[in-house]
Amino acid sequence: MVLPAVLVISVIAFFPLFKTFYDSFFEFGLRPDIEKKFVGLKNYIDLFHDERFLAALKTTVIFTVVSVALETVFGLLIAVIVNQPFKFRGVVRAAMLIPWAIPTAISSQMWKWMFNDQGGIMTKFLEKLNIIEPGFPILGSPNTALWAIIAVDVWKTTPFMALLILAGLQLIPEELYEAARIDGANLLQRFTKITLPMLSSTIAVALIFRTLDALRVFDVVFIMTRGSVGTETLAVYNRVLLMDRAFTGAWFGYGSALSVIIFLLISIFAIIYIKSLKLKLD
Amino acid sequence: MRKFLLAVLLLTLAVVAFSGSRVTITMTAGAVGKELEVLYAQLDVFMKQNPNIKVSVMPMPNSSTERHDLYVTYLASGEKEPTVLMLDVIWPAEFAPYLEDLTADKDYFELNKFLPGTVKAATVNGRIVAIPWFTDAGLLYYRKDLLEKYGFKNPPKTWDELVQMAKTITAKEKNMVGFVWQGARYEGLVCDFMEYLVSFGGDVLDEQGNVIINSPAAVKALQFMVDLIYTHKVSPQAVTTYMEEEARRAFQNGQAVFMRNWPYAWSLLNDPKESKVAGKVGVAPLPAGPGGKSAATLGGWMLGINKNATPEEKEAAKKLIKFLTSYEQQLYKAVNAGQNPTMMDVYKDPALKKAAPFMVELYGMFINAVPRPRTAKYSEISDVIQKYVHAALTKQTTPQKAIEDMAKELNKVLGK
């Protein structure tokens, strides 16, 4: 049974990965008059001199760190609340998943309209609170666009975090809390000494899932701003290189190098999490 | 069971044999406004006239950028479908290696009767790779009623006049902005920028393909776009997020005095069911820059044939394109879908004058529309222009610096 599994994995996962690695050492495009040329590490060196790449890298890291941190905190909070017994708990648990259940392509467009300057409900709301002046383009300003996108991502993905953490919470035996109560531990102590340690592997898995997702974020950014006003992430830039420029120049190797960097970045984060949280993978 | 299979096989063979010369071709199509409806009606006529050709339509996303991506996938994979491709006016150079050479068929398509600018846009290195289907040019829409109310007899002739009129009117009208246009970072921004650039006396590339963007005229043009938003305040800051439809919505809800947009907006603005300003809208050429020159960007779509199609399919495709670009069908499309003909004679037809008078009145503008840079690297060039113009419009850089950096990067892209 091992052999077929290895075979399937190598065909669907390793082959494209190695092909991308391999391609990243060449200069080529889809234009018929461009010959594929071996250039060694040139693509990587060029990338780190490419201001647009560096800006996208910075944006991606900011997006990832801020959105994942907020999603984890809010997710934990919500999970603890809906883990308590109360009326209509089932309904609340189901309803809470709605933002996550809506396809990102649709919810991003919906939020884009809500941030619209002409009658967008979020714009009107922020105007009423005197946070922005009337007609201010939230998605058209370098000071606000990235934060608006992060807000949408937090709105969308917090339920997913909450759900994962809730599953972890339910695995903690009730006896532990009872014993702690008898020993006189208060709410905060019970949370920090029992809940958090027992949850660490769940949170680690959730963090890995979310971080890996956030590092390759594409849809919400592409739909809301197409990467303008300083919101271009690595995946959005990669799309420009591999799709918009497929027939115009020799960008495929460069785009492959960028793909490899996204892959490495994700691996680094994954390894840090696994090591620091002493996660057992087997 | 075996007998049954045999029967099915024979039946299939019979069907194939009898339908013999029947060819099926596919074509891509857009669905903006009434475009698709009109095309289906045209294809019904075509298939009745040519019973041995079946045309199936592949509707495409409305956004030109997304269509581009689909075409990259189709063409790069070497598939023979779609047979007929609807191509944006800026794509022929990029897609030329994958398109059938139609140079030898230019008499068959009567290209000498077409607007020269559109034929030029379909010509790559002397080879004709597509046939112009309909054309577009940037227009200035204005509120006739408001201009009259404040004593302006004519629409603005220069950009300065536009600013003055917009200021006068918005000072007294409530909830009204002066001028909306396409300022989001996408292809449409390049179209708008070209109009300011050329009307101020600049250009992106010269005839030899050298980068000539770094000029005082270009800086002034970009400065003027920035001033529209921040100094004159006639355009809302949010134009930096507007595409065609956002601008049209603001204008047709009665929230703007002037709008830059394409001809397609005309019929929608004058539809009383949808528009609050129906009957109050005028349309004029875009204002001129300081040198007295007015410029409109050439837009539009053409039809090309996939090089990987079989010879029979190519023949059928040529028949279809000939039909769709014929006088009668261009007139039908112009009257019913509001899309400008590419054949010059159609503009003289009384039926067109009745349905879309401005198309006839502004004929001179459509014929002189300014092309965007013509090069196989257009997508890259457009990307660079979008990036720096948008950065200036959102005050991330100054117009001076934006133009300088743009020139540097364009030179790099073109390998100069």
Side-chain angles (χ1 to χ4, degrees):
Chain A
M1 277 321 281
V2 177
L3 194 68
V6 170
L7 209 66
V8 168
I9 292 173
S10 45
V11 169
I12 63 170
F14 291 120
F15 175 69
L17 191 64
F18 283 118
K19 179 90 171 80
T20 308
F21 260 112
Y22 178 77
D23 284 347
S24 70
F25 299 117
F26 288 86
E27 191 176 281
F28 73 113
L30 289 182
R31 232 172 72 187
D33 58 338
I34 294 175
E35 261 177 60
K36 198 164 172 170
K37 196 165 73 188
F38 181 77
V39 293
L41 289 172
K42 182 172 176 292
N43 287 328
Y44 292 93
I45 296 164
D46 286 353
L47 263 176
F48 282 95
H49 289 99
D50 179 349
E51 277 171 37
R52 191 163 169 182
F53 164 76
L54 295 174
L57 183 64
K58 190 177 145 204
T59 308
T60 308
V61 171
I62 295 176
F63 174 87
T64 304
V65 171
V66 178
S67 68
V68 173
L70 290 174
E71 282 154 19
T72 313
V73 173
F74 289 146
L76 185 61
L77 212 68
I78 293 172
V80 169
I81 292 169
V82 297
N83 196 34
Q84 307 302 316
F86 60 90
K87 236 183 169 180
F88 304 121
R89 188 169 72 166
V91 180
V92 171
R93 280 186 188 175
M96 149 191 129
L97 276 173
I98 289 174
W100 184 64
I102 302 171
T104 316
I106 292 168
S107 60
S108 310
Q109 183 62 49
M110 187 175 93
W111 277 95
K112 188 181 173 186
W113 282 326
M114 296 205 276
F115 283 126
N116 188 303
D117 66 300
Q118 319 157 25
I121 190 162
M122 284 306 288
T123 312
K124 288 275 170 266
F125 179 66
L126 294 173
E127 272 172 28
K128 283 269 181 315
L129 293 177
N130 280 327
I131 293 174
I132 57 170
E133 52 188 284
F136 180 81
I138 297 171
L139 294 177
S141 160
N143 301 322
T144 50
L146 183 60
W147 302 106
I149 290 174
I150 289 176
V152 173
D153 194 71
V154 169
W155 168 84
K156 183 192 151 53
T157 323
T158 300
F160 173 72
M161 286 300 245
L163 189 74
L164 281 181
I165 295 171
L166 181 63
L169 275 178
Q170 289 177 339
L171 291 177
I172 304 175
E174 193 51 38
E175 294 85 52
L176 282 179
Y177 290 106
E178 269 167 40
R181 244 177 254 131
I182 291 164
D183 291 342
N186 64 22
L187 191 70
L188 187 70
Q189 281 168 329
R190 292 202 301 267
F191 183 73
T192 51
K193 299 283 192 240
I194 301 172
T195 313
L196 277 186
M198 294 294 287
L199 267 183
S200 68
S201 61
T202 308
I203 293 179
V205 170
L207 275 176
I208 291 175
F209 266 121
R210 272 310 302 150
T211 311
L212 306 197
D213 249 4
L215 284 170
R216 53 191 167 83
V217 63
F218 172 76
D219 36 17
V220 58
V221 179
F222 189 71
I223 290 168
M224 289 180 64
T225 61
R226 299 192 85 91
S228 64
V229 287
T231 60
E232 187 164 77
T233 60
L234 290 174
V236 175
Y237 184 36
N238 208 2
R239 178 192 176 283
V240 172
L241 294 174
L242 295 175
M243 289 303 290
D244 292 351
R245 299 184 176 182
F247 285 166
T248 62
W251 292 102
F252 255 46
Y254 198 68
S256 301
L258 176 54
S259 306
V260 170
I261 289 177
I262 298 176
F263 171 77
L264 291 178
L265 196 65
I266 290 174
S267 318
I268 291 167
F269 270 87
I271 291 167
I272 293 173
Y273 281 135
I274 293 170
K275 288 279 177 216
S276 65
L277 293 156
K278 299 193 183 67
L279 203 63
K280 288 193 191 76
L281 283 179
D282 50 13
Chain B
M1 192 61 197
R2 199 169 273 176
K3 265 184 188 163
F4 174 71
L5 282 178
L6 198 67
V8 170
L9 186 71
L10 282 175
L11 202 67
T12 322
L13 280 176
V15 169
V16 172
F18 279 112
S19 59
S21 56
R22 197 170 155 91
V23 201
T24 302
I25 56 174
T26 48
M27 82 174 280
T28 61
V32 178
K34 287 191 164 175
E35 203 179 342
L36 200 57
E37 236 178 286
V38 166
L39 179 66
Y40 279 124
Q42 289 177 309
L43 290 179
D44 279 345
V45 177
F46 176 75
M47 284 191 277
K48 262 191 205 118
Q49 288 174 5
N50 297 276
N52 58 341
I53 301 175
K54 185 175 180 295
V55 186
S56 72
V57 174
M58 274 168 116
M60 291 277 116
N62 280 344
S63 149
S64 155
T65 315
E66 272 142 50
R67 278 188 212 178
H68 178 273
D69 291 356
L70 281 171
Y71 287 4
V72 166
T73 331
Y74 293 143
L75 296 174
S77 67
E79 286 289 320
K80 62 191 190 106
E81 285 193 348
T83 329
V84 175
L85 298 148
M86 181 178 170
L87 301 163
D88 200 336
V89 72
I90 47 188
W91 294 342
E94 181 181 345
F95 290 146
Y98 301 90
L99 298 173
E100 179 73 359
D101 188 343
L102 300 171
T103 322
D105 304 287
K106 64 175 189 289
D107 295 329
Y108 174 68
F109 292 112
E110 301 178 282
L111 284 180
N112 55 331
K113 295 186 178 169
F114 282 64
L115 292 168
T118 64
V119 178
K120 205 173 157 194
T123 312
V124 180
N125 298 329
R127 288 169 50 222
I128 291 160
V129 297
I131 307 300
W133 192 18
F134 57 92
T135 189
D136 252 341
L139 298 172
L140 181 74
Y141 290 87
Y142 62 94
R143 286 283 299 277
K144 260 191 317 203
D145 57 328
L146 289 176
L147 260 60
E148 243 164 63
K149 186 173 165 191
Y150 292 94
F152 299 111
K153 289 206 179 67
N154 294 306
K157 292 235 161 35
T158 65
W159 289 115
D160 288 337
E161 261 177 58
L162 179 136
V163 169
Q164 289 317 317
M165 288 186 191
K167 276 185 178 167
T168 315
I169 295 171
T170 50
K172 300 214 176 104
E173 292 284 322
K174 260 193 193 151
N175 293 330
M176 186 71 128
V177 297
F179 181 36
V180 289
W181 37 283
Q182 292 78 42
R185 183 167 135 185
Y186 79 118
E187 184 56 39
L189 179 59
V190 181
C191 299
D192 283 39
F193 173 66
M194 287 300 296
E195 286 160 359
Y196 295 96
L197 179 65
V198 175
S199 72
F200 275 73
D203 209 337
V204 180
L205 305 179
D206 65 9
E207 284 296 315
Q208 285 76 43
N210 298 312
V211 178
I212 52 163
I213 184 76
N214 196 357
S215 66
V219 176
K220 271 186 206 146
L222 186 53
Q223 182 70 53
F224 179 75
M225 292 173 84
V226 173
D227 287 348
L228 279 173
I229 305 173
Y230 302 98
T231 311
H232 306 309
K233 295 194 161 71
V234 298
S235 295
Q237 257 191 65
V239 283
T240 56
T241 63
Y242 283 13
M243 300 196 207
E244 282 83 357
E245 292 293 86
E246 283 86 2
R248 178 171 71 86
R249 239 170 268 133
F251 187 79
Q252 82 182 25
N253 287 336
Q255 293 166 349
V257 186
F258 297 105
M259 168 175 73
R260 182 262 175 221
N261 215 323
W262 306 95
Y264 89 101
W266 173 259
S267 54
L268 298 163
L269 293 175
N270 283 309
D271 176 359
K273 263 184 264 157
E274 200 179 331
S275 160
K276 289 183 185 162
V277 296
K280 300 175 185 166
V281 183
V283 62
L286 287 162
K293 192 173 163 192
S294 152
T297 297
L298 175 74
W301 291 79
M302 38 187 99
L303 295 169
I305 302 175
N306 187 338
K307 211 173 190 171
N308 287 313
T310 64
E312 300 90 65
E313 287 166 349
K314 284 178 189 168
E315 273 318 303
K318 281 181 193 172
K319 267 190 196 159
L320 173 65
I321 295 178
K322 166 96 176 153
F323 170 83
L324 288 174
T325 56
S326 65
Y327 183 101
E328 299 77 38
Q329 296 308 318
Q330 290 213 15
L331 179 64
Y332 180 78
K333 195 172 175 61
V335 169
N336 292 288
Q339 289 171 321
N340 280 41
T342 47
M343 210 181 252
M344 293 181 274
D345 286 350
V346 184
Y347 287 90
K348 295 178 192 147
D349 201 291
L352 183 67
K353 186 155 176 78
K354 212 174 136 212
F358 75 92
M359 275 192 200
V360 179
E361 283 157 23
L362 300 180
Y363 173 71
M365 217 193 64
F366 292 116
I367 199 170
N368 290 318
V370 179
R372 281 161 273 171
R374 292 195 311 124
T375 142
K377 294 199 164 185
Y378 181 76
S379 294
E380 273 176 69
I381 289 191
S382 165
D383 190 41
V384 172
I385 297 175
Q386 288 171 34
K387 187 170 90 182
Y388 288 107
V389 173
H390 199 261
L393 292 183
T394 49
K395 294 219 141 178
Q396 299 176 78
T397 178
T398 62
Q400 177 78 41
K401 180 99 171 50
I403 296 288
E404 280 167 15
D405 290 348
M406 193 193 295
K408 254 183 245 157
E409 203 162 325
L410 288 178
N411 272 318
K412 210 161 83 190
V413 168
L414 293 169
K416 303 234 162 149

